[in-house]
């Protein structure tokens, strides 16, 4: 089993476009971040606590753009998403019909 499955941003954008049946326009992946602050739970080398910033990912989505650029995907150029299920050969489809 692999330790991690990683995707390029463009691959995620294409998958989201297909999942949402978007077939026109230029789109890019948008990420909304949050910001939090506090003190880390571990003591610093000198025994004190250090202020810490936390930046969580809150949302991931698609944003339209008017122009093509190096991070956008043209939805009109994508091939349709593969249909689910197995493809049956003509022979097995004929046998199933009998």
């Amino acid at each position: 089993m692999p330790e991690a499955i990683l995707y390029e941003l463009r691959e995620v954008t294409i998958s989201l476009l297909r999942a949402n049946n978007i077939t026109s326009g230029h789109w890019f992946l948008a990420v909304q971040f949050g910001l939090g602050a506090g003190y880390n739970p571990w003591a610093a080398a000198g025994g004190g606590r250090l202020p810490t910033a936390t930046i969580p990912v809150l949302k991931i989505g698609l944003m339209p753009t008017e122009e093509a650029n190096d991070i956008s995907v043209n939805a009109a150029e994508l091939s349709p998403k593969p249909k689910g299920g197995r493809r049956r050969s003509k022979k097995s489809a004929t046998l199933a019909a009998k």
Side-chain angles (χ1 to χ4, degrees):
M1 181 172 189
E3 291 183 23
I5 299 173
L6 303 174
Y7 297 95
E8 297 292 327
L9 296 178
R10 181 174 176 81
E11 293 173 303
V12 175
T13 304
I14 290 169
S15 293
L16 288 173
L17 288 170
R18 287 182 174 154
N20 289 284
N21 296 316
I22 297 173
T23 58
S24 64
H26 291 272
W27 297 80
F28 65 92
L29 189 67
V31 181
Q32 182 181 12
F33 295 98
L35 179 62
Y39 290 94
N40 68 359
W42 304 278
R49 297 193 297 170
L50 297 174
T52 303
T54 304
I55 304 175
V57 174
L58 299 176
K59 296 180 182 180
I60 296 176
L62 294 169
M63 292 290 291
T65 181
E66 295 296 321
E67 59 189 43
N69 56 52
D70 58 335
I71 63 168
S72 69
V73 173
N74 184 353
E77 294 177 355
L78 297 179
S79 58
K81 68 179 177 181
K83 301 284 183 196
R86 282 188 348 200
R87 296 180 107 184
R88 295 195 308 189
S89 68
K90 289 182 183 179
K91 183 177 179 182
S92 64
T94 305
L95 292 174
K98 291 182 180 181

